[in-house]
Amino acid sequence: MRLEDAARLTHADWISKAEETRARAETRLFIGGQFVDAARGGSFDNISPVDGRLINRCAAGTGEDIDRAVAIARASFDSGEWSRLAPRRRMEVMFRWAELIEEHAAELALMDTIDIGKPITDMIRVDMPQVIECVRFFAESIDKVLGSVTATETDVLSTVIREPIGVVACISPWNYPLLMAIWKIAPSLAAGNSTILKPAEQSPMSSYRVAELFVEAGGPPGALQVLNGLGEAAGQALGRHMDVDKISFTGSTEVGKLLLGYAGQSNMKRVSLECGGKGPHIFCDDLPDDLFDRAVRTAIDGVFFNMGQVCSAGSRLIIHDRIHDRFLERFAELGRTAYVCGDPLDPSVNLGPLIDHGAQARVLGMIERARSDGAQVVFGGSAPQGALAKGAYVEPTLLAGVGQDDFIARQEVFGPVAAAIRVRDDDEAIEVANNSNYGLQGGVWTDNFRRAHRYVRELHCGTLFVNSFEEGDMTQPFGGFKESGNAKDKCFDSLLAYMNAKAAWFRLN
Ligand code: NAD
């Protein structure tokens, strides 16, 4: 079912579809175009964060499965069946793949909702359109890649050509299961690499289905394989593998650092990292009323959307002294009710549970720690009770009176928690914003262009929004500085990062 039809389904429709989808979904490893059990027969329980019930049991890949998949990927790469396919033929497969994803958009959306408890409405309105657009963008890019002829003496021809790298392993997180996976596998495949995806263990269903659709679209089975497994087993085996040429990772900074280590201890494979964040969202004191109101509404979405499980969330609200109290009053007035907790299959719900009860306990513990450090809980701060008590829910929370060096201002919460910091002027706002190990995404609201320009120049963030937040399209590079990582996703340049630049020097005389 396509997105426009899916948008009309009711809660009852989604409940009945969820049962069918869950029962039909593949949870075995997708190796060489076949679904197979893990070599050692291992599996783990996939538990619903909505009610703690078992969703399904997933095959747990280990080193032996990884070895097998890497050998198939290498053979496919060397055969040239995908890596040397004429660009227009590769494009046809990718476009057909995008069509199939579009035809199965409701099913794929539902898989992520079941796995992680993300509201179905967000899947339909936000994730799936971006998934489809991403595959099309990289399909369109395939024959736009250019090499070059460099400036040399006349008796020499010096060229640079771009080639696929080889076997690329993509390791993805659970917070946007299919979208984060597609941001990696689409450019990797478009570049001609044999690609292995290890999805987050909590959210494998959509990855398996999308790989199956790739083969249905005409992609060679060795070009895209999906192996779920625990991070320390399957992820580590990929990270240390001597025949994996590149790791493309999205996830925590902690695991990103481990992957750099594995590469150093194995074959120096390339490691591109998209990791955590603690986004500064700055509000200046010159906002006219209409911009002020838009700023508050955007700040609420910037920190509570996707239950705050967003690497690029604007989780530090840095507010100029003159508007601080008015801003927080309005934020509290709108923010208390903007997000409704409930069953993620209900199209009117926009706040599901966190990924699991461990995350719930961690986030509630961080709120408690902020409170004991002197922050005031303006609203939220606990888990909803009653019908939702079995789920890993946390209420949207606003903390005021946070100091820039407090634990809550420095650690990524990955939950619906905003930390408000009061600042005197632009100098202090910039100092506070840059006082972070992270540097992913930030935003500034001001009616003064020169002021905005100064923030853009001085903030250490990969992406900055002026009078907006979390917007963008496929042309915009997504990725951070410092411990947020070293790579860019989405844009045309990200395709080039899945290719080697090879120089050739032809002596002509
Ligand atoms: P995570 O780091 O725990 O897991 C991410 C992936 O790494 C999973 O597939 C996991 O199985 C795997 N993994 C875990 N241990 C591993 C190991 N030792 N070796 C190899 N792989 C291993 O992260 P998560 O909890 O799934 O996701 C949340 C994190 O992801 C947050 O920190 C968030 O900021 C970050 N994130 C970043 C971006 C971005 O683009 N910068 C986007 C989304 C999420």
Side-chain angles (χ1 to χ4, degrees), residues 71-85 194 220 222-223:
I72 290 172
R74 177 62 60 194
S76 169
F77 187 79
D78 290 347
S79 77
E81 59 180 358
W82 183 251
S83 55
R84 290 197 294 274
L85 196 63
S194 289

Side-chain angles (χ1 to χ4, degrees), residues 280-282 433-434 440-444 452-470 476-477 479 481:
H281 204 174
I282 300 168
N434 286 340
L440 187 51
Q441 182 166 290
V444 59
H453 192 248
R454 178 180 175 207
Y455 278 104
V456 170
R457 293 293 281 262
E458 296 196 23
L459 293 188
H460 306 153
C461 300
T463 306
L464 273 159
F465 291 98
V466 177
N467 297 344
S468 65
F469 200 75
E470 276 295 15
Q476 174 199 42
F481 304 154

Side-chain angles (χ1 to χ4, degrees), residues 19 25 50 82 149 163 170 173 227 243 264 275 279 286 312 328 340 360 390-391 397 443 451 453 462 476 478 509:
E19 194 37 45
V50 177
W82 183 251
V149 176
E163 299 180 329
C170 304
L227 281 87
D243 207 21
C275 299
D286 58 10
S312 50
L328 287 196
V340 182
Q360 181 193 40
K390 278 193 192 150
T397 301
R451 213 169 171 183
H453 192 248
Q476 174 199 42
F478 183 93
N509 60 345

Side-chain angles (χ1 to χ4, degrees), residues 171-175 180 198-201 231-232 235-236 249-252 255 258-259 262 274-276 311 412 414 440 478:
I171 302 180
S172 56
W174 48 260
N175 63 334
M180 292 300 104
K198 197 213 84 64
E201 41 270 51
E232 314 81 71
Q236 177 163 191
F249 171 76
T250 296
S252 61
V255 173
L258 289 177
L259 287 164
Y262 302 157
E274 294 284 3
C275 299
C311 52
E412 185 180 42
F414 232 55
L440 187 51
F478 183 93

Side-chain angles (χ1 to χ4, degrees), residues 295-470:
V296 174
R297 289 173 195 275
T298 309
I300 291 168
D301 291 337
V303 64
F304 295 154
F305 183 76
N306 205 36
M307 292 66 77
Q309 299 173 132
V310 182
C311 52
S312 50
S315 52
R316 285 185 294 156
L317 307 177
I318 299 172
I319 311 165
H320 279 243
D321 188 39
R322 270 199 323 129
I323 60 161
H324 177 274
D325 295 351
R326 184 160 77 97
F327 189 95
L328 287 196
E329 258 168 48
R330 187 74 176 135
F331 189 107
E333 186 186 335
L334 298 172
R336 267 179 222 284
T337 52
Y339 281 78
V340 182
C341 292
D343 179 3
L345 292 171
D346 178 347
S348 68
V349 161
N350 59 1
L351 201 92
L354 300 188
I355 184 66
D356 55 33
H357 284 94
Q360 181 193 40
R362 185 181 50 76
V363 171
L364 292 173
M366 290 178 87
I367 296 171
E368 233 7 82
R369 163 99 186 247
R371 218 195 285 256
S372 62
D373 285 345
Q376 300 96 50
V377 178
V378 180
F379 64 82
S382 44
Q385 293 308 311
L388 299 177
K390 278 193 192 150
Y393 292 85
V394 172
E395 293 167 350
T397 301
L398 172 61
L399 299 170
V402 172
Q404 63 164 312
D405 290 317
D406 290 358
F407 179 80
I408 201 73
R410 299 193 60 83
Q411 299 296 317
E412 185 180 42
V413 178
F414 232 55
V417 180
I421 304 171
R422 185 194 289 265
V423 290
R424 278 185 315 275
D425 52 24
D426 293 338
D427 289 341
E428 193 183 10
I430 290 167
E431 178 203 317
V432 170
N434 286 340
N435 181 12
S436 174
N437 293 346
Y438 296 113
L440 187 51
Q441 182 166 290
V444 59
W445 292 76
T446 170
D447 207 28
N448 179 323
F449 181 79
R450 280 171 51 201
R451 213 169 171 183
H453 192 248
R454 178 180 175 207
Y455 278 104
V456 170
R457 293 293 281 262
E458 296 196 23
L459 293 188
H460 306 153
C461 300
T463 306
L464 273 159
F465 291 98
V466 177
N467 297 344
S468 65
F469 200 75
E470 276 295 15

Side-chain angles (χ1 to χ4, degrees), residues 206-229:
S206 58
S207 297
Y208 284 131
R209 187 72 182 111
V210 89
E212 208 179 10
L213 294 176
F214 175 76
V215 175
E216 196 179 322
L224 178 60
Q225 304 176 84
V226 177
L227 281 87
N228 196 7

